[in-house]
Amino acid sequence: MTTAVPSPRLMAPRNRAAAWTSALYQSVCVCLGVLLMAPLVYCVLVSLMRETEIVSSTPHLLPAAPSLVNYQRVIGSTGIFHYMYNSLLVALICSVSRVLTASMAAYAFTFYQFRFQKLLFALVLGTMIIPAEMLMVQNYFTTAEMGLINTYAGMTIIYLVSPANIFLLRQNFRSYSLSIHEASMVDGCGSIRFFFSILLPMSMPVLATVFISSFVTSWNTYLWPLLVTNVEEMRTVQVIITMLNASELNASYGQVMAAATLILIPSLLVFVLFQRKITAGMMAGAVKE
Amino acid sequence: MKKGLSMVMIWALVLSLFLGLSPALAEDVEVVFWHSTSGALGDELQAIVDEYNNTHEGVHVNAVYQGYEGTDKVILAYQTQDTANACDINIGLTSTIPAMLELDWTAKVADLANTYGSTISQEDYYPSMARSVSYGGQMIAIPFLNSTLVMYYNADALQQAGYDAPPATMDELAEYVKALTQRDASGTVTRYGFECQVKRYQLVNYISSQNENAFFGDMEGGRAGAMTKITAGEDGTLKAFLEKLDALVETGGYQFVEGKVAEEFAAGTTAIALFSSSKCGNVNSLVGDSFQWMTAPIPKVNESDTSGSSLGGSCLVLFHRGDDARMKAAWDFAQYLSTPENQYRIAILSGYIPTTKGTEELPEMIKFYEENPEYKTALDVIKASSPMAQEPMDLCYNEINSAITDSMLRFCNRELDVDGAVAAIVDSCNRLLDEWHEAND
């Protein structure tokens, strides 16, 4: 059996158009990528410059003689790794908790029918329109009453559940056919097993998205951890960046940028690691071998 | 076995979340001191605290950095009646004193002196300092980390332009700016003659510098009672300043939008700039040996002006958290921070003005000022200025700052003329004050 191969001459205009579209699309993506990356790259470059070079009247893009002195000073004088540990713990607790609570709530809202289901879901969504600042005083009051000031539990308690994540996962779960759930039940698969062994593995891309966004949001949180901690040992890394930037005498842009570069690493690592999960999840089932 | 071990580890992790860290419990009376200083000044403050702890048995001062949120945290703790997690001393802006008086925790300095006695009296402070922390004629807090607006100038640049002294008036400043501004072949400015973005801080300085009865608002700028309206538009001081500023804008060498003004001055992109005297230490380290720089009083609006720039900055506000021993210890520590020796340590590092008269009489302070006259300008200005020249207590500080900044930018961009800018500033600030009174009275 032979396969009919279209004539190159006939396909050429369409291919050319597709090639141009693809080139245009990729160029726009590259431009956007460069635009987004530029501040980060400049941050790293400034962190390698000496102070006189940074404040010179002629702006420099590249360090004349790259130096790690800013990193040495930041690491030596601020104890930044201890604060990174605090931030890491807070970010991990919040993101793991959000993935768990949001997926469980979304599971219930998607695969079960119960009284007031729509009302409860509307209430969950309703909490999204309340500005966090409005709740700050009451949240602080509750946290203090529970004796959680200066504890990791106090720093994370208001970030353990996210209605936006519940909404995101619920919408994703709705794309699955209910018959999968019903078939599993008929086969004797319980709810918990279905949830952990079927639903979650099938939803890795969206779970990775929720984890990454939760991690980055928690990692960057400044005000709440500052409000509920009154001892230096419990501070998060964002507070240290503020201290470096607000220093009245020797505010060093080089050191601020060095610290900013260091605290970018965990977020980048999380993104790089979980990006594979997103890709793997999207590709799973795409090709049957 | 494996499952059991996992459960133990999980419970240990959960428990650790709730334990957290808290200051070690001891028999010492603990004084919690919230501050906003970091870097070298923060280290020096910590060294002073450590020395106090080492020399005062039975008391332990716990200094905690709170950024600029310290005052908001005090208010938050008060609203929730969370005395356990509040502080005994907070460094707050003097303009927040009326807000602090709303809290019944606030312990007035005058009352503390009567109750516990004092090692320092009101007369030991410069009159401007004492007035900066007074409300309704009563001293409420202790002045700490105070500064004023001064003029920084590149002495080398002035010399090259043919000047051997800084400008004394705004008319002179306009002439200097024309001579100091440099442009490249395409006409683009490469060095501005003058830089100063006029926001609330700069504007109120220029109002109060004109005479001792010139206040930004009524009730002596909010210090004799709650401010209800802006008076700088009625007495002509605002208009007089804007007319002089108008001539500066005309020169084309006036940079009226600031980025990081101290850094820009140090980089040589401006020849003259106005900013806080507390930046002396910063400028010193940034400029290094690049050029000679010096400070001077801000140029007068009119040659006949009788006052000087106003005092601004922070103060130590003390709170009674229901424990007399703690209050007494906090009061003792707050006075310790005012001793000439400690004020000297802070002043030479930063450029903050020593609060007590005894400091400038210390031999080491005399020597330092002789060797570093740029640090002494602010002290001379404050001593020469009327004590009435103070930052206003304008109740809604942040909103008024935004309103003034916006109107001044429109003025400098030629969207408003002098009368239009006066009207815009007065109307917007009065509206904000009205709204504040409507919500709070």
Side-chain angles (χ1 to χ4, degrees):
Chain A
M1 189 176 140
T2 56
T3 308
V5 179
S7 151
R9 187 177 285 181
L10 288 173
M11 287 294 290
R14 196 187 293 171
N15 280 350
R16 241 196 330 265
W20 276 109
T21 309
S22 172
L24 186 71
Y25 176 74
Q26 288 183 44
S27 303
V28 170
C29 287
V30 167
C31 287
L32 282 174
V34 169
L35 203 65
L36 290 171
M37 284 292 291
L40 295 180
V41 173
Y42 190 58
C43 169
V44 177
L45 292 172
V46 170
S47 74
L48 298 171
M49 291 180 193
R50 293 189 183 274
E51 209 55 32
T52 46
E53 208 177 342
I54 298 169
V55 299
S56 116
S57 55
T58 318
H60 296 261
L61 266 181
L62 298 170
S67 160
L68 292 175
V69 68
N70 290 319
Y71 289 91
Q72 286 167 353
R73 285 183 186 151
V74 165
I75 292 167
S77 66
T78 62
I80 193 168
F81 291 125
H82 173 76
Y83 303 108
M84 283 176 78
Y85 167 76
N86 285 344
S87 287
L88 189 66
L89 202 59
V90 167
L92 281 176
I93 292 168
C94 292
S95 23
V96 170
S97 168
R98 281 185 179 194
V99 167
L100 272 176
T101 53
S103 55
M104 286 178 175
Y107 174 45
F109 281 128
T110 310
F111 293 101
Y112 289 95
Q113 297 296 320
F114 49 91
R115 287 181 74 186
F116 307 121
Q117 187 194 30
K118 284 188 177 169
L119 178 68
L120 283 173
F121 186 63
L123 284 175
V124 168
L125 289 189
T127 60
M128 288 166 67
I129 60 171
I130 303 172
E133 290 76 13
M134 272 187 67
L135 302 171
M136 204 63 92
V137 173
Q138 190 55 43
N139 281 340
Y140 178 86
F141 179 72
T142 310
T143 308
E145 282 285 295
M146 292 169 73
L148 297 181
I149 301 295
N150 294 329
T151 65
Y152 292 113
M155 290 158 80
T156 54
I157 195 164
I158 66 166
Y159 298 113
L160 297 180
V161 181
S162 160
N165 292 342
I166 294 174
F167 175 71
L168 185 72
L169 287 175
R170 188 247 191 185
Q171 296 308 102
N172 182 265
F173 291 171
R174 286 185 70 181
S175 64
Y176 301 138
S177 168
L178 284 176
S179 56
I180 297 175
H181 185 243
E182 286 160 7
S184 305
M185 295 297 128
V186 170
D187 288 346
C189 175
S191 294
I192 293 175
R193 193 168 170 199
F194 173 79
F195 177 72
F196 283 108
S197 304
I198 299 174
L199 187 61
L200 293 191
M202 274 168 47
S203 312
M204 283 315 280
V206 71
L207 291 177
T209 306
V210 167
F211 186 88
I212 292 171
S213 66
S214 300
F215 187 91
V216 173
T217 310
S218 315
W219 180 264
N220 290 334
T221 306
Y222 168 75
L223 188 58
W224 179 254
L226 182 68
L227 287 179
V228 295
T229 55
N230 293 319
V231 286
E232 303 283 353
E233 294 84 351
M234 295 297 289
R235 298 293 198 208
T236 55
V237 76
Q238 301 301 333
V239 180
I240 300 309
I241 296 285
T242 310
M243 281 177 80
L244 283 170
N245 199 25
S247 175
E248 286 159 282
L249 300 183
N250 48 358
S252 157
Y253 291 116
Q255 288 179 41
V256 173
M257 293 305 166
T261 305
L262 284 176
I263 70 165
L264 269 177
I265 295 170
S267 295
L268 284 177
L269 277 178
V270 164
F271 183 76
V272 169
L273 289 175
F274 281 84
Q275 192 192 24
R276 287 183 190 166
K277 291 282 180 192
I278 295 176
T279 317
M282 286 167 77
M283 297 305 289
V287 181
K288 192 172 181 180
E289 293 176 7
Chain B
M1 177 68 185
K2 218 172 169 181
K3 196 177 173 187
L5 189 65
S6 304
M7 288 307 290
V8 169
M9 286 177 72
I10 288 169
W11 278 111
L13 177 67
V14 170
L15 200 62
S16 73
L17 296 181
F18 290 85
L19 289 177
L21 291 171
S22 58
L25 289 175
E27 289 177 8
D28 288 350
V29 173
E30 193 203 28
V31 173
V32 179
F33 171 39
W34 287 356
H35 65 90
S36 54
T37 57
S38 57
L41 188 59
D43 293 343
E44 191 64 25
L45 190 62
Q46 186 59 54
I48 293 171
V49 169
D50 291 342
E51 281 173 24
Y52 181 86
N53 286 336
N54 292 335
T55 52
H56 291 73
E57 276 189 27
V59 178
H60 179 83
V61 177
N62 181 21
V64 184
Y65 174 82
Q66 295 288 10
Y68 294 111
E69 279 79 13
T71 303
D72 290 337
K73 282 190 71 168
V74 169
I75 294 170
L76 183 61
Y78 179 80
Q79 285 173 334
T80 54
Q81 289 299 300
D82 182 22
T83 45
N85 295 302
C87 64
D88 302 290
I89 306 172
N90 177 52
I91 297 183
L93 291 173
T94 53
S95 54
T96 62
I97 284 178
M100 291 296 100
L101 285 171
E102 298 280 320
L103 321 180
D104 57 20
W105 291 356
T106 303
K108 297 174 187 169
V109 162
D111 296 342
L112 289 169
N114 286 335
T115 309
Y116 302 112
S118 62
T119 56
I120 197 161
S121 71
Q122 187 169 332
E123 286 67 41
D124 292 324
Y125 296 100
Y126 293 105
S128 288
M129 294 283 175
R131 187 173 156 77
S132 75
V133 292
S134 298
Y135 187 80
Q138 198 178 25
M139 203 162 157
I140 308 297
I142 292 182
F144 191 68
L145 303 182
N146 301 98
S147 59
T148 190
L149 190 66
V150 291
M151 176 168 62
Y152 291 73
Y153 62 92
N154 182 328
D156 289 349
L158 260 67
Q159 203 170 27
Q160 283 161 15
Y163 298 111
D164 53 9
T169 63
M170 289 187 75
D171 288 335
E172 282 182 23
L173 178 63
E175 294 305 314
Y176 276 56
V177 169
K178 288 175 195 164
L180 290 165
T181 302
Q182 292 180 340
R183 291 181 168 82
D184 61 17
S186 66
T188 307
V189 175
T190 53
R191 183 182 72 193
Y192 284 95
F194 178 60
E195 176 172 355
C196 170
Q197 180 163 5
V198 181
K199 300 181 181 177
R200 172 191 172 279
Y201 174 57
Q202 292 79 3
L203 184 67
V204 299
N205 264 281
Y206 264 109
I207 301 301
S208 63
S209 69
Q210 294 181 43
N211 67 72
E212 69 169 10
N213 295 316
F215 299 106
F216 184 63
D218 64 347
M219 306 301 284
E220 296 179 2
R223 285 175 181 269
M227 186 192 289
T228 59
K229 64 171 184 171
I230 306 305
T231 53
E234 297 168 11
D235 62 15
T237 50
L238 179 54
K239 184 170 181 175
F241 169 63
L242 290 177
E243 282 172 347
K244 301 293 182 182
L245 198 71
D246 196 49
L248 273 173
V249 177
E250 278 296 309
T251 63
Y254 165 38
Q255 171 62 289
F256 51 82
V257 180
E258 279 178 12
K260 290 270 190 180
V261 63
E263 284 76 0
E264 284 160 6
F265 174 74
T269 54
T270 54
I272 300 175
L274 300 191
F275 50 95
S276 166
S277 61
S278 67
K279 292 279 185 185
C280 273
N282 193 15
V283 171
N284 206 16
S285 64
L286 287 171
V287 172
D289 298 326
S290 304
F291 58 85
Q292 292 293 314
W293 63 278
M294 190 51 200
T295 56
I298 59 171
K300 292 179 175 184
V301 175
N302 312 293
E303 203 151 357
S304 58
D305 287 351
T306 53
S307 191
S309 51
S310 59
L311 189 70
S314 315
C315 57
L316 302 171
V317 185
L318 288 91
F319 304 99
H320 198 309
R321 295 200 281 154
D323 181 340
D324 278 338
R326 189 194 280 264
M327 185 76 259
K328 190 178 176 191
W331 170 234
D332 186 63
F333 173 68
Q335 292 178 91
Y336 178 77
L337 288 176
S338 291
T339 58
E341 291 74 19
N342 287 329
Q343 286 296 309
Y344 162 76
R345 292 169 66 172
I346 292 167
I348 63 165
L349 202 62
S350 57
Y352 278 119
I353 308 167
T355 57
T356 44
K357 295 173 190 168
T359 313
E360 66 169 315
E361 290 159 12
L362 290 173
E364 55 267 40
M365 191 82 243
I366 294 170
K367 186 166 180 281
F368 178 80
Y369 278 151
E370 279 172 3
E371 291 169 357
N372 303 277
E374 64 273 18
Y375 283 68
K376 192 165 183 283
T377 303
L379 177 62
D380 292 338
V381 165
I382 287 305
K383 286 164 69 177
S385 295
S386 163
M388 304 301 272
Q390 300 283 346
E391 267 203 79
M393 290 179 172
D394 41 10
L395 305 170
C396 37
Y397 166 93
N398 287 322
E399 292 79 4
I400 284 185
N401 184 44
S402 299
I404 291 173
T405 305
D406 178 55
S407 298
M408 288 308 303
L409 276 176
R410 288 167 62 201
F411 173 72
C412 291
N413 282 317
R414 297 301 196 212
E415 293 167 26
L416 292 172
D417 60 11
V418 170
D419 290 326
V422 170
I425 290 170
V426 171
D427 292 347
S428 57
C429 292
N430 279 342
R431 194 165 53 249
L432 288 166
L433 287 171
D434 289 345
E435 284 170 7
W436 189 92
H437 282 288
E438 202 177 318
N440 293 284
D441 284 349

